[in-house]
Structures are given as C-alpha cells and as structure tokens.
Amino acid sequence: MDRKDFLKKGLLGTGMFVASASLGNTMKNEIDEIEPLEPIGYNHLPNPESKIKDNSVIHKADSRGKADHGWLLSQHTFSFANYHNPERMHFGVLRVLNDDKVEAGRGFGTHPHDNMEIISIPLEGDLEHKDNMGNTTVIKSGDIQVMSAGTGVMHSEFNKNSDKLVKFLQIWVYPNRRNVTPRYDQITLDKTKSHNAFQQILSPNADDEGVWIHQDAWFHLGRFENGLETSYQIKKSGNGVYVFILKGSAEIEGQKLEERDGFGVWDIKNLNMKSTAEHTEILLMEVPMAM
C-alpha cells in the first residue's frame, strides 16, 4: 500500500464515522505495520522566521487541514484522512494532533485501532467512551484519557450532551512496542498544579504522575499569567518538543505563537518560554524523533 492509500484507507478509521449514539459502524483496520520513521520527518522544513531555524518547525493555526462533516469540525495539524500533506506527516513519533468539535448527541461510531497510543484531552463538554474491553466512561475538561491499542481494540466516542458541543484533542503517538495487550485508563488532573507551571500529565512510567504510554514521551499542561517566564528541561536526550498553544499567546525560543499554533523543536536541552497574554494555556509534548 502506498503512503497516500495508507493515509486515506488506514487513518480514515477514526475520522469519518458519523452516527447517533444508537448506531455503530465497523471497518477493517488496514494499519498493519509501523513503518520506520525518518529522524526528522516529512514535515520538518526549516523555519525561516525562527532564530533557531535549523532545528525547528512552525505550523500556524490557519495552515492546518480542515474537515467539516456537519456533525464534526476537525482541524488536523498533521496529515489525516482526506487531508494529505507530504510535508506534514508527523513530528517524530507524534503522528496525529486533531482539534475536534462534535455536535450534541453525535459522535464516532465503533471503529478499530491497533498498534497506536491514543490520547484524548477534552477541552469542553462531556465525551462518552465505549470499547470492547468493557469500559464505558465519560471524560470532561480536566481529565485525560489514554488507550494502548496494541493487538487491536474497538471503541466509540460520543458527545454525551444534548445541548452543546464537545471539544477535545485527539492525539496519536507511535508506540515503542508492537502488539501489546490493549489497555485503557483515564484520570482527573489537579488543575492547581498547572498554574504558572508545567504539570506532567503523561509519561512512560506507570508509577509517575499522569497517565502512561508505551513510548519515551512526556506531556505537560501549563496555564500562565501574562509575562510569566519559565523553561522546560528535556527528559531524554534525542527527544524533541512539540508545543501547542491552546489559549492566549507565548514567545518560545524567540518564536511568537498565537492560539492553536504549533511549534516543534529538536536538538535542544532546554526550552525557554514567556507568556504574552493573560490565561495562556500550553500543551507541551516531548517525543522521540525516531523509532
């Protein structure tokens, strides 16, 4: 299967199932292999506006792929479903970053995944999850959900609300082990820990703070007052960091970023940041740059 067919047929699975809460659809999952990733990746063109352009990439909010299905409005930082951009395939092992809005009472019918670490971060509303492992749960703002698809899992996601949107981030990370036993977990975060600081919400260690995945990756959330300066230290040598501005604005390593902009940096030890708006919210994802 060529790369374009891989995207359209395999990755279509999570993006194109529309149903009411009573209807589920199934589809054969054609994502069978994790292909070796290039050290930098297809989307890592030098950023000419950056002071560190040789090891950074910027994705402005309005440059993302868009899909409007009526019931679902999704914006794709990386190639996904019908959005194909060979210069935006992934950032290291970070494969998918979708910014989704789902209409009341609608959602993704039952569909398959395998050999992918899938993280959901709800921003507004209530998202109901059901899977063939026996889990039926609801996640909302302040929660984080993780699913290791491993040998294969079927699940559905629906807007639990009858009168408002659900907004959430859907994130895929390539695992460092294939065919693990599927697993599901979710936690509620203590938001006080992210005030003017980066709060760890994901790591490779089940005994560490946050949820865990089968990959040497660390995710952090921070909520910052205007003018607050801080830095982030890379956990593992060789990893890169992808920063996503949820709200407000910030200046990171000299690069000015606005709401929903993405900024990736690699070959660094520390990342310096300054909030430039009140109530700036930042998702920071440290990931390996190669398998």
Side-chain angles (χ1 to χ4, degrees):
M1 181 184 300
D2 66 27
R3 184 171 297 277
K4 191 170 183 179
D5 286 340
F6 172 85
L7 288 166
K8 287 191 173 182
K9 294 180 180 180
L11 301 185
L12 195 63
T14 63
M16 304 300 292
F17 289 96
V18 54
S20 68
S22 62
L23 178 64
N25 295 305
T26 60
M27 177 178 178
K28 181 180 181 294
N29 185 10
E30 297 188 36
I31 303 177
D32 183 56
E33 294 183 353
I34 300 176
E35 297 181 2
L37 302 182
E38 294 186 357
I40 299 302
Y42 291 94
N43 61 314
H44 296 83
L45 302 180
N47 174 18
E49 298 179 359
S50 173
K51 296 177 182 178
I52 50 173
K53 63 182 180 180
D54 290 337
N55 61 318
S56 70
V57 63
I58 186 169
H59 300 136
K60 300 297 288 184
D62 60 4
S63 72
R64 295 177 294 172
K66 298 176 177 62
D68 187 349
H69 304 288
W71 65 279
L72 167 68
L73 178 62
S74 185
Q75 299 197 71
H76 312 311
T77 295
F78 304 110
S79 286
F80 188 86
N82 289 330
Y83 169 58
H84 175 68
N85 184 342
E87 295 177 359
R88 289 202 190 182
M89 300 302 295
H90 53 82
F91 179 84
V93 301
L94 176 61
R95 177 60 191 85
V96 169
L97 174 55
N98 287 352
D99 189 359
D100 291 345
K101 298 178 182 179
V102 180
E103 291 289 338
R106 308 298 291 274
F108 303 87
T110 303
H111 58 276
H113 296 281
D114 64 61
N115 288 311
M116 194 68 72
E117 302 294 301
I118 300 168
I119 301 102
S120 296
I121 303 177
L123 305 174
E124 293 181 24
D126 303 304
L127 186 68
E128 183 179 65
H129 164 99
K130 293 183 179 180
D131 62 47
N132 63 345
M133 294 179 283
N135 299 297
T136 299
T137 62
V138 175
I139 57 173
K140 55 188 176 182
S141 178
D143 296 340
I144 180 169
Q145 176 196 83
V146 65
M147 186 169 63
S148 298
T151 54
V153 67
M154 303 285 290
H155 82 133
S156 63
E157 295 168 298
F158 288 95
N159 185 342
K160 186 71 171 176
N161 309 116
S162 61
D163 59 348
K164 59 182 178 180
L165 290 171
V166 156
K167 300 178 183 180
F168 73 105
L169 300 181
Q170 178 186 170
I171 301 168
W172 292 8
V173 174
Y174 285 105
N176 55 19
R177 295 175 55 201
R178 283 182 52 83
N179 297 325
V180 300
T181 300
R183 55 176 285 270
Y184 175 89
D185 193 17
Q186 72 178 68
I187 62 170
T188 298
L189 303 170
D190 179 355
K191 290 187 176 182
T192 63
K193 294 183 178 181
S194 62
H195 179 66
N196 284 336
F198 281 117
Q199 174 188 12
Q200 182 174 293
I201 63 172
L202 176 148
S203 79
N205 188 348
D207 298 322
D208 209 348
E209 187 173 6
V211 295
W212 68 277
I213 62 172
H214 296 282
Q215 187 53 271
D216 292 327
W218 288 262
F219 286 14
H220 290 74
L221 275 174
R223 296 173 172 87
F224 303 98
E225 299 172 4
N226 190 16
L228 193 284
E229 296 186 32
T230 188
S231 64
Y232 174 79
Q233 184 172 354
I234 300 297
K235 305 290 187 184
K236 184 177 180 179
S237 178
N239 279 4
V241 180
Y242 195 86
V243 179
F244 189 64
I245 308 296
L246 291 170
K247 291 182 181 179
S249 61
E251 186 173 303
I252 299 178
E253 294 293 339
Q255 176 68 57
K256 295 181 179 180
L257 301 170
E258 304 294 333
E259 186 168 311
R260 266 24 185 210
D261 288 349
F263 181 58
V265 190
W266 57 96
D267 291 339
I268 59 169
K269 295 182 179 180
N270 296 281
L271 191 73
N272 297 309
M273 184 217 79
K274 179 180 179 180
S275 172
T276 55
E278 288 294 340
H279 311 300
T280 293
E281 297 186 13
I282 298 174
L283 173 63
L284 187 154
M285 294 167 280
E286 176 184 335
V287 296
M289 296 307 292
M291 295 292 284

PDB file of all heavy atoms in Angstrom, residues 38-50:
ATOM      1  N   GLU A  38      11.679   8.595   9.506  1.00  0.00           N
ATOM      2  CA  GLU A  38      12.910   9.322   9.283  1.00  0.00           C
ATOM      3  C   GLU A  38      13.223  10.143  10.536  1.00  0.00           C
ATOM      4  O   GLU A  38      12.322  10.537  11.271  1.00  0.00           O
ATOM      5  CB  GLU A  38      12.764  10.232   8.067  1.00  0.00           C
ATOM      6  CG  GLU A  38      12.584   9.450   6.763  1.00  0.00           C
ATOM      7  CD  GLU A  38      12.588  10.357   5.551  1.00  0.00           C
ATOM      8  OE1 GLU A  38      12.682  11.588   5.736  1.00  0.00           O
ATOM      9  OE2 GLU A  38      12.513   9.833   4.434  1.00  0.00           O
ATOM     10  N   PRO A  39      14.505  10.400  10.806  1.00  0.00           N
ATOM     11  CA  PRO A  39      14.873  11.108  12.037  1.00  0.00           C
ATOM     12  C   PRO A  39      14.173  12.449  12.204  1.00  0.00           C
ATOM     13  O   PRO A  39      13.853  12.854  13.304  1.00  0.00           O
ATOM     14  CB  PRO A  39      16.392  11.287  11.893  1.00  0.00           C
ATOM     15  CG  PRO A  39      16.805  10.157  11.021  1.00  0.00           C
ATOM     16  CD  PRO A  39      15.674   9.970  10.052  1.00  0.00           C
ATOM     17  N   ILE A  40      13.942  13.150  11.111  1.00  0.00           N
ATOM     18  CA  ILE A  40      13.298  14.458  11.208  1.00  0.00           C
ATOM     19  C   ILE A  40      11.840  14.378  10.783  1.00  0.00           C
ATOM     20  O   ILE A  40      10.974  14.913  11.438  1.00  0.00           O
ATOM     21  CB  ILE A  40      14.052  15.505  10.357  1.00  0.00           C
ATOM     22  CG1 ILE A  40      15.479  15.640  10.877  1.00  0.00           C
ATOM     23  CG2 ILE A  40      13.362  16.847  10.411  1.00  0.00           C
ATOM     24  CD1 ILE A  40      15.561  16.029  12.345  1.00  0.00           C
ATOM     25  N   GLY A  41      11.536  13.699   9.701  1.00  0.00           N
ATOM     26  CA  GLY A  41      10.140  13.557   9.300  1.00  0.00           C
ATOM     27  C   GLY A  41       9.806  14.455   8.121  1.00  0.00           C
ATOM     28  O   GLY A  41      10.480  15.433   7.836  1.00  0.00           O
ATOM     29  N   TYR A  42       8.739  14.155   7.455  1.00  0.00           N
ATOM     30  CA  TYR A  42       8.356  14.837   6.232  1.00  0.00           C
ATOM     31  C   TYR A  42       7.989  16.301   6.455  1.00  0.00           C
ATOM     32  O   TYR A  42       8.080  17.108   5.553  1.00  0.00           O
ATOM     33  CB  TYR A  42       7.166  14.128   5.575  1.00  0.00           C
ATOM     34  CG  TYR A  42       7.525  12.784   5.023  1.00  0.00           C
ATOM     35  CD1 TYR A  42       7.336  11.649   5.792  1.00  0.00           C
ATOM     36  CD2 TYR A  42       8.069  12.645   3.761  1.00  0.00           C
ATOM     37  CE1 TYR A  42       7.669  10.402   5.298  1.00  0.00           C
ATOM     38  CE2 TYR A  42       8.413  11.402   3.254  1.00  0.00           C
ATOM     39  CZ  TYR A  42       8.204  10.279   4.029  1.00  0.00           C
ATOM     40  OH  TYR A  42       8.532   9.056   3.546  1.00  0.00           O
ATOM     41  N   ASN A  43       7.531  16.633   7.642  1.00  0.00           N
ATOM     42  CA  ASN A  43       7.009  17.975   7.866  1.00  0.00           C
ATOM     43  C   ASN A  43       8.044  18.930   8.440  1.00  0.00           C
ATOM     44  O   ASN A  43       7.727  20.059   8.748  1.00  0.00           O
ATOM     45  CB  ASN A  43       5.813  17.936   8.810  1.00  0.00           C
ATOM     46  CG  ASN A  43       6.190  17.379  10.165  1.00  0.00           C
ATOM     47  OD1 ASN A  43       6.863  16.367  10.237  1.00  0.00           O
ATOM     48  ND2 ASN A  43       5.764  18.015  11.238  1.00  0.00           N
ATOM     49  N   HIS A  44       9.261  18.509   8.587  1.00  0.00           N
ATOM     50  CA  HIS A  44      10.230  19.329   9.297  1.00  0.00           C
ATOM     51  C   HIS A  44      11.088  20.162   8.351  1.00  0.00           C
ATOM     52  O   HIS A  44      12.294  19.997   8.252  1.00  0.00           O
ATOM     53  CB  HIS A  44      11.096  18.472  10.211  1.00  0.00           C
ATOM     54  CG  HIS A  44      10.301  17.835  11.281  1.00  0.00           C
ATOM     55  ND1 HIS A  44       9.607  16.684  11.074  1.00  0.00           N
ATOM     56  CD2 HIS A  44      10.017  18.230  12.538  1.00  0.00           C
ATOM     57  CE1 HIS A  44       8.957  16.375  12.181  1.00  0.00           C
ATOM     58  NE2 HIS A  44       9.187  17.290  13.070  1.00  0.00           N
ATOM     59  N   LEU A  45      10.442  21.059   7.643  1.00  0.00           N
ATOM     60  CA  LEU A  45      11.171  22.002   6.817  1.00  0.00           C
ATOM     61  C   LEU A  45      11.699  23.116   7.711  1.00  0.00           C
ATOM     62  O   LEU A  45      11.028  23.530   8.659  1.00  0.00           O
ATOM     63  CB  LEU A  45      10.254  22.582   5.739  1.00  0.00           C
ATOM     64  CG  LEU A  45       9.614  21.554   4.792  1.00  0.00           C
ATOM     65  CD1 LEU A  45       8.745  22.263   3.776  1.00  0.00           C
ATOM     66  CD2 LEU A  45      10.677  20.725   4.093  1.00  0.00           C
ATOM     67  N   PRO A  46      12.892  23.629   7.447  1.00  0.00           N
ATOM     68  CA  PRO A  46      13.421  24.702   8.292  1.00  0.00           C
ATOM     69  C   PRO A  46      12.468  25.881   8.377  1.00  0.00           C
ATOM     70  O   PRO A  46      11.784  26.223   7.417  1.00  0.00           O
ATOM     71  CB  PRO A  46      14.725  25.089   7.573  1.00  0.00           C
ATOM     72  CG  PRO A  46      15.122  23.846   6.851  1.00  0.00           C
ATOM     73  CD  PRO A  46      13.829  23.211   6.418  1.00  0.00           C
ATOM     74  N   ASN A  47      12.428  26.492   9.522  1.00  0.00           N
ATOM     75  CA  ASN A  47      11.550  27.618   9.787  1.00  0.00           C
ATOM     76  C   ASN A  47      12.334  28.914   9.575  1.00  0.00           C
ATOM     77  O   ASN A  47      13.122  29.305  10.428  1.00  0.00           O
ATOM     78  CB  ASN A  47      11.031  27.518  11.226  1.00  0.00           C
ATOM     79  CG  ASN A  47      10.235  28.739  11.625  1.00  0.00           C
ATOM     80  OD1 ASN A  47       9.790  29.501  10.792  1.00  0.00           O
ATOM     81  ND2 ASN A  47      10.067  28.912  12.926  1.00  0.00           N
ATOM     82  N   PRO A  48      12.145  29.612   8.462  1.00  0.00           N
ATOM     83  CA  PRO A  48      12.995  30.773   8.139  1.00  0.00           C
ATOM     84  C   PRO A  48      12.799  31.958   9.078  1.00  0.00           C
ATOM     85  O   PRO A  48      13.643  32.845   9.123  1.00  0.00           O
ATOM     86  CB  PRO A  48      12.566  31.127   6.705  1.00  0.00           C
ATOM     87  CG  PRO A  48      11.180  30.592   6.576  1.00  0.00           C
ATOM     88  CD  PRO A  48      11.160  29.337   7.410  1.00  0.00           C
ATOM     89  N   GLU A  49      11.687  31.992   9.828  1.00  0.00           N
ATOM     90  CA  GLU A  49      11.429  33.112  10.711  1.00  0.00           C
ATOM     91  C   GLU A  49      11.974  32.887  12.119  1.00  0.00           C
ATOM     92  O   GLU A  49      11.901  33.769  12.966  1.00  0.00           O
ATOM     93  CB  GLU A  49       9.925  33.379  10.790  1.00  0.00           C
ATOM     94  CG  GLU A  49       9.308  33.769   9.446  1.00  0.00           C
ATOM     95  CD  GLU A  49       7.826  34.000   9.554  1.00  0.00           C
ATOM     96  OE1 GLU A  49       7.284  33.833  10.669  1.00  0.00           O
ATOM     97  OE2 GLU A  49       7.206  34.363   8.543  1.00  0.00           O
ATOM     98  N   SER A  50      12.508  31.723  12.376  1.00  0.00           N
ATOM     99  CA  SER A  50      12.958  31.397  13.726  1.00  0.00           C
ATOM    100  C   SER A  50      14.441  31.694  13.909  1.00  0.00           C
ATOM    101  O   SER A  50      15.242  31.558  12.984  1.00  0.00           O
ATOM    102  CB  SER A  50      12.697  29.917  14.019  1.00  0.00           C
ATOM    103  OG  SER A  50      13.267  29.552  15.259  1.00  0.00           O
TER     104      SER A  50
END
